[in-house]
């Protein structure tokens, strides 16, 4: 599932782990989190999170060929 990154502090919400401190059970996608959920590290609102979409290792095409 897709991970989301807090743009304020860099915290990563991993759906596989959930957020047990906020009673978010593992397996819940970011999109299903409550509207009032916030970053467990810096209290940033959901709107401060963005999809983690860095390139996957081994999937970067060679350049110049
Ligand atoms: Zn944060």
């Amino acid at each position: 599932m897709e991970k989301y990154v807090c743009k304020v502090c860099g915290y990563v919400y991993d759906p596989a782990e959930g957020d047990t401190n906020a009673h978010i059970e593992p397996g819940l996608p970011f999109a299903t989190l409550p509207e009032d959920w916030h970053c467990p590290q810096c209290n940033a609102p959901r709107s401060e999170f963005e999809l983690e979409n860095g390139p996957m290792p081994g999937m970067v095409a060679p350049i110049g060929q």
Side-chain angles (χ1 to χ4, degrees), residues 4-19:
Y4 277 76
V5 183
C6 175
K7 290 188 289 186
V8 177
C9 73
Y11 169 83
V12 177
Y13 176 76
D14 183 350
E17 297 184 4
D19 177 11

